[in-house]
Structure formats: C-alpha cells, structure tokens
Amino acid sequence: MTKISSIEGRILYNSRGSKTIEIDVESEGKFLGRACAPSGASVGKYEAVCFPNGKPEESLRIIQENSQKFIGLESSDLKGIHDTLKSLDNSTNYSRIGGALAFAVTIASMESAAKAAKQPLFEILSPKSSFKFPFPLGNILGGGVHAGPGTPDIQEILICATGSKTIESAIETNLSVHKELRRVLEKEDPNFTNGRGDEGGWAPKLENQKALEVSAKACENLGFTLGKEVSLGVDFASSTQWNEEKQKYVYDRAGFENSAGEQIDFASNIIEKYKLIFAEDAVHEEAFEDMAEITAKFPNTMITGDDLIVTNKNILTKAIGLKSCNAVILKVNQAGSLYDALEFAKVANQNNIRLITSHRSGESIDSQISHIGIATKSKMLKVGVVGGERIAKLNELLRLSEHDLIRGMAEI
Ligand code: 2PG
Ligand code: MG
C-alpha cells in the first residue's frame, strides 16, 4: 500500500498534433505513473466531454488547484481516486473537469500502484484472475472522418488474425496483410501515394465496395481464406453519415443515400459477402432497434456498439434489454475514469457481451490500454497495425508474452 505523494500535469500533443493533457502521479516520492489522454474524431453524442470548453489548459488548471485533495490517497484505491474526481465534477459527462483528466489521473494512479507493488498493470487491475491475450484488430484501410476526400465513406476496414494461436503470429499476420494491401493498391492505382489515415490504415481514392474488394484481395493473395486464418471487420461509424433532417444515411463520397431499412440491407450485405467477424456501428448512435435487427441476423459476427454505447453502463443496460448488440467497444476516455470503464466491463462480462478495448484516432504513445484489454478479458484489442502510437500497444503485448500469467489467445 503506497500513498500518492505528488500529482502534476502538463500539456502535450497527441498523434494528430492536437493538444492534450498528461498526468504524473507519484507514490512515496518514487513510483511514477504517467498517462497521456487520447481523443476521438468520430465522437459519440453521449460520451464524456474531453476538456471543459474544449480547453486542455482548463483541465490542467483544475488539477493544479486541487492536487492536495489527491495527496495521501492510496494510489491503488481506484474508487477513492474516482470519488475525488467526482467531488470536483458531479456532472454525468465530466463537462467541468474533462473526461481526459479523469482518464489520465486514474490510469496514472494505477500505474504508480502497479510499480509500487512490482506487478504488471493488468494484474493489479484484476487480481487473482486468469488472463488471455485479446486478438489485435487493426485498421488496414481508412476513410470517413479519419481520411481525406475521395476515400471511402466507411471509416475503417480492419484485419484480425482469427486463426492465430499466439500473439506473435497474430501481430505478424496483421502486418503482412497491411503490407500486401499496399501492393494491391499500387497495382490498382499507379498514382496511389501510400497516404494513410489517422490510424495508419491506407487511405486510397476508392469507394466503399472497391475498398472492401481490395482488402479481401490482399488476404487472398497471401493464401488466407476469409473467416479462417484471417477475418475482416468494418467500423461503419454510421453516425457520421446519418442526417437527422433527411432521416437518411448520406454517403457523400459514393453518391447515394440510404433509408434506415436500406442501411440495414447495406450493412448486412457487406457482413455476409466478406464474412465479417466484426461490424461496428452499422447504424447510427440512436438506432437501438435497427442494431437489434442486425444482431439477430448475425449471431456469429461481433455486432458491436461504439458510438451507440459510448462505454456507458446505463446505455449498455438499455442495449442489453433491447438485444441491440452482442459486443461493445471499451474506450476509457468515452467513460471518463478508469473506474467507470471497469464498472462498464463488469456489466458487459456478466451479460456475455464481448468486449473490444479500443484506442482513439488521436493517440499517445502510451500502452496501458494493452493491459486494460487483458484485465477486462477483452476478446479483441483495437489498436491499429502500424504507426508509432499504434505499434506501441502491440509491442507491449509482445513484452507481456514473456509473462507466464497470460496463457493463450482469447476465445472469440
Ligand atoms: C472509432 C475510433 C477508433 P475515433 O470510431 O472506433 O477507431 O475512432 O477515436 O475517431 O472515435
Ligand atoms: Mg467506432
């Protein structure tokens, strides 16, 4: 048991070059925990507010003025630290102090506690558990708000080495598909510049269907069968297409519009044709019934809520009642504090809703989410394939493979 002796913060930049906050929590004057908050581009309506009035400086001022409230708390007392944050901000979405601050303070504290206990972070987050590796799920082709005009409306096409038996082979297989896709794209378009989106996926000038075709082609070129050695996933991020006034999904780049019913067919056709293992936000963030229709149709695909659920346990409880999804994204900064996110994970696990712990498109080079994915028994870890801030999370998994507490891959 060690007590927090100091808490400090600073303004840094995330992978998109936007300002963010980093927090240092020290226990007993020597065990340093450090966490830097990420941020999203496709942000759910109901997720925690990143910074008060959009200003990281506000969050920094708040922690500087209130640091004494944290000093003397046990660094491992996640609930106590969470409650202290809530005493500064009793809003439901951290609009006063910023969800980014709640994220950074709670993760830095637990990292400090882990160092003091000489235990890895995943173990201190979930003591006396059995652990498995989540399957890395990585963006190989990006569009939507993560890439520029001319790219697909669909935000992400993802790869997952579902046939891999080890974490090493799962990472290597994802990398090989990402590399092969570059060759396929260069053949397809001799003017392809090798440009990449925010999460490291290629960002070609292609419409949705063609983008899916080339992604499947890259897998086949390597001798893989979709649904066997590897599987594709899609984050439709449909809220970015949803036009409230028209009550339609507007696919600007491809030049068509879908009614609610047509969107269900559009997503269903893609899930079927490409045997998707993972389909995220196939409809917009308030279409719980439409999601339920897709979930009922595809019991073997992870029909996943991200913007729909925003790592919020009350929204998840509603979705469970409506059978809206069989899987959920866990993004700590959507919830706010790590305590909130772990409470959310409990509800998901108790109800057989599969968890996918995820990065944000604007990331830091931290790698605590690899531990959070393991500790929450996530089936997948959505962290990208390439790019320094993405590789950092994958490399941490490789380091953790030296640990004999983690045995084998998750069952998906
Ligand atoms: C998503 C994420 C991460 P963002 O929509 O799932 O891939 O993107 O961080 O921009 O919300
Ligand atoms: Mg998403």
Side-chain angles (χ1 to χ4, degrees):
M1 292 298 208
T2 49
K3 292 192 190 322
I4 295 178
S5 47
S6 74
I7 179 162
E8 282 167 10
R10 63 186 66 82
I11 303 294
L12 297 180
Y13 293 93
N14 69 20
S15 59
R16 252 198 297 267
S18 304
K19 280 185 180 170
T20 188
I21 192 164
E22 182 175 76
I23 296 292
D24 288 357
V25 170
E26 217 169 51
S27 308
E28 311 291 332
K30 57 183 171 191
F31 301 110
L32 173 66
R34 174 173 282 171
C36 183
S39 81
S42 62
V43 175
K45 216 190 258 181
Y46 302 108
E47 67 176 81
V49 169
C50 216
F51 298 109
N53 306 312
K55 294 199 177 89
E57 294 81 1
E58 283 274 297
S59 294
L60 181 61
R61 182 186 58 74
I62 291 167
I63 196 67
Q64 285 168 340
E65 284 174 6
N66 292 282
S67 61
Q68 284 306 322
K69 299 199 169 93
F70 294 87
I71 291 170
L73 296 179
E74 291 290 338
S75 51
S76 61
D77 179 11
L78 185 55
K79 170 91 166 67
I81 291 156
H82 166 86
D83 288 345
T84 308
L85 288 164
K86 291 304 266 184
S87 74
L88 303 176
D89 182 346
N90 62 3
S91 68
T92 51
N93 61 357
Y94 291 95
S95 55
R96 299 202 180 93
I97 64 170
L101 181 64
F103 171 102
V105 168
T106 48
I107 293 182
S109 299
M110 290 310 283
E111 188 174 272
S112 171
K115 282 195 184 160
K118 296 197 171 39
Q119 281 180 338
L121 180 61
F122 71 83
E123 198 184 356
I124 205 158
L125 293 180
S126 183
K128 300 193 184 73
S129 293
S130 59
F131 299 102
K132 291 189 182 298
F133 280 107
F135 278 87
L137 174 70
N139 193 334
I140 51 171
L141 198 155
V145 296
H146 290 175
T151 59
D153 302 87
I154 287 178
Q155 184 176 287
E156 301 164 35
I157 301 177
L158 303 129
I159 187 73
C160 185
T162 39
S164 287
K165 301 270 183 286
T166 64
I167 190 63
E168 291 86 348
S169 122
I171 292 172
E172 205 176 313
T173 302
N174 283 2
L175 279 163
S176 70
V177 174
H178 187 275
K179 285 199 182 93
E180 179 59 23
L181 180 56
R182 170 179 166 174
R183 287 189 275 273
V184 174
L185 289 167
E186 283 170 347
K187 265 202 192 143
E188 186 72 32
D189 173 8
N191 295 321
F192 176 54
T193 63
N194 289 334
R196 304 199 316 227
D198 284 356
E199 296 180 346
W202 303 113
K205 279 202 167 180
L206 288 180
E207 60 81 39
N208 308 300
Q209 300 297 341
K210 194 75 203 166
L212 284 157
E213 270 169 40
V214 290
S215 301
K217 178 109 183 31
C219 298
E220 284 152 17
N221 285 357
L222 293 167
F224 298 143
T225 304
L226 288 183
K228 252 184 108 185
E229 296 89 352
V230 297
S231 305
L232 290 175
V234 169
D235 182 359
F236 291 88
S238 299
S239 296
T240 55
Q241 278 94 45
W242 178 245
N243 183 311
E244 189 67 34
E245 251 168 53
K246 289 187 170 177
Q247 292 286 300
K248 286 199 164 181
Y249 295 86
V250 179
Y251 285 77
D252 266 335
R253 299 177 188 174
F256 66 91
E257 295 182 357
N258 278 344
S259 65
E262 285 163 344
Q263 177 68 12
I264 295 175
D265 293 344
F266 172 76
S268 300
N269 288 337
I270 292 174
I271 295 170
E272 248 160 35
K273 182 164 180 198
Y274 295 98
K275 302 189 178 67
L276 299 189
I277 183 77
F278 172 87
E280 181 178 336
D281 286 342
V283 292
H284 73 83
E285 62 200 325
E286 281 163 312
F288 287 84
E289 271 94 14
D290 294 351
M291 271 290 274
E293 208 174 311
I294 301 176
T295 303
K297 264 189 177 169
F298 298 104
N300 298 325
T301 302
M302 293 165 81
I303 305 296
T304 305
D306 170 22
D307 295 339
L308 185 86
I309 311 287
V310 291
T311 319
N312 179 309
K313 82 173 180 190
N314 298 331
I315 303 180
L316 176 58
T317 304
K318 170 182 167 183
I320 290 168
L322 293 167
K323 297 192 167 55
S324 298
C325 54
N326 58 31
V328 276
I329 290 284
L330 182 152
K331 291 170 174 165
V332 177
N333 81 324
Q334 267 182 343
S337 80
L338 180 58
Y339 177 80
D340 293 318
L342 297 184
E343 289 293 296
F344 171 85
K346 265 189 219 159
V347 177
N349 282 328
Q350 281 160 1
N351 289 280
N352 274 330
I353 301 285
R354 288 167 284 180
L355 282 166
I356 300 102
T357 294
S358 168
H359 63 172
R360 300 308 305 247
S361 51
E363 261 298 332
S364 75
I365 56 163
D366 290 352
S367 54
Q368 293 100 345
I369 67 163
S370 303
H371 290 253
I372 294 167
I374 293 168
T376 55
K377 306 201 181 307
S378 291
K379 302 293 184 192
M380 291 180 180
L381 186 68
K382 188 185 177 201
V383 289
V385 183
V386 296
E389 71 282 6
R390 316 289 154 190
I391 282 286
K393 282 77 171 159
L394 298 169
N395 282 344
E396 183 67 0
L397 293 177
L398 292 175
R399 285 184 204 107
L400 291 175
S401 70
E402 295 161 16
H403 220 287
D404 50 15
L405 274 178
I406 315 170
R407 294 181 184 275
M409 302 299 293
E411 275 142 41
I412 46 176

